[in-house]
């Protein structure tokens, strides 16, 4: 049983970007603005715009609710309405030109108690210029929501803060004590950029 976790971290979650196709536009949309569905009340933040003010599609993130395929879309910048068009297809997960889904990350759980630590890799004979590797790990209480595909770790703990501030989760182990799930141990990999 782990008694104290002296560090904290933020757990970020990955979400798919969505595509909102439109036609009959009467005003241009703007990147970073919030778009709202006239019937559903669904909202999203515009990540990119493909097309013209008359027709095209919006690549959006931070979606709340579900846009229906025929409602009007209205953009608001601050308190002022700007872009306007009518959807001509259902909301779908966005795929880029290579046919791959695109994702974005957002803070999901903040100030999560954690214990960062490193374990030396197995003993190896080093050649000149090599240094022994250190594998970073983090221990979390079992109350955290985590998996290795849809989550990553952001650290502000000195000594365990990569240049990007972000770690990819390589594996999740869930040790049990004699009674119940005790904690998670996550093997991490430093990410080069956020």
């Amino acid at each position: 049983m782990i008694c104290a976790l002296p560090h904290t971290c933020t757990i970020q979650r990955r979400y798919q970007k969505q595509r909102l196709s439109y036609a009959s536009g009467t005003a241009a949309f703007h990147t970073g603005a919030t778009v709202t569905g006239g019937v559903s009340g669904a909202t999203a933040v515009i990540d990119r715009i493909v097309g013209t003010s008359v027709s095209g599609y919006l690549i959006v993130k931070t979606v709340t609710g579900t846009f229906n395929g025929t409602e009007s879309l209205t953009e608001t910048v601050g308190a002022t309405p700007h872009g306007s068009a009518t959807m001509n297809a259902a909301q779908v997960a966005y795929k880029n030109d290579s046919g791959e889904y695109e994702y974005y990350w957002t803070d999901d759980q903040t100030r999560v108690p954690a214990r960062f630590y490193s374990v030396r890799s197995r003993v190896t004979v080093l050649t000149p210029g090599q240094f022994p590797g250190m594998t970073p790990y983090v221990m979390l209480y079992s109350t955290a929501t985590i998996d290795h595909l849809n989550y990553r770790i952001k650290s502000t703990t000195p000594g365990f803060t990569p240049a990007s501030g972000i770690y990819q989760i390589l594996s999740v182990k869930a040790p049990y004590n004699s009674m119940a799930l005790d904690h998670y141990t996550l093997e991490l990999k430093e990410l080069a950029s956020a």
Side-chain angles (χ1 to χ4, degrees), residues 13-182:
R13 185 171 177 180
R14 166 178 99 148
Y15 293 93
Q16 284 186 334
K17 293 181 182 178
Q18 300 291 302
R19 176 180 169 150
L20 305 178
S21 297
Y22 64 89
S24 306
T26 58
F29 291 104
H30 300 84
T31 302
T34 299
V35 64
T36 304
V39 175
S40 66
T43 62
V45 175
I46 300 171
D47 185 59
R48 292 195 311 273
I49 303 157
V50 179
T52 66
S53 60
V54 177
S55 65
Y57 60 90
L58 305 174
I59 302 165
V60 297
K61 58 186 182 179
T62 319
V63 178
T64 57
T66 303
F67 292 87
N68 75 39
T70 58
E71 67 185 327
S72 63
L73 297 174
T74 306
E75 170 196 285
T76 303
V77 179
T80 308
H82 285 279
S84 179
T86 302
M87 289 185 71
N88 61 357
Q91 170 187 328
V92 295
Y94 173 70
K95 287 185 180 180
N96 61 26
D97 292 339
S98 299
E100 300 168 332
Y101 292 106
E102 283 192 15
Y103 298 90
Y104 65 97
W105 296 89
T106 187
D107 291 354
D108 185 66
Q109 301 158 67
T110 58
R111 303 182 73 178
V112 177
R115 178 182 288 275
F116 287 93
Y117 62 98
S118 294
V119 176
R120 287 194 186 277
S121 61
R122 64 186 178 80
V123 175
T124 58
V125 177
L126 302 178
T127 60
Q130 285 186 317
F131 297 94
M134 299 289 283
T135 301
Y137 290 88
V138 67
M139 195 178 296
L140 304 172
Y141 286 122
S142 60
T143 53
T145 301
I146 200 82
D147 68 50
H148 72 289
L149 294 176
N150 291 313
Y151 292 88
R152 65 185 188 181
I153 300 292
K154 183 166 60 172
S155 170
T156 56
T157 300
F160 291 97
T161 306
S164 67
I166 306 290
Y167 288 105
Q168 175 185 351
I169 299 169
L170 297 180
S171 66
V172 178
K173 295 181 179 126
Y176 287 80
N177 66 20
S178 60
M179 303 298 284
L181 174 63
D182 188 33

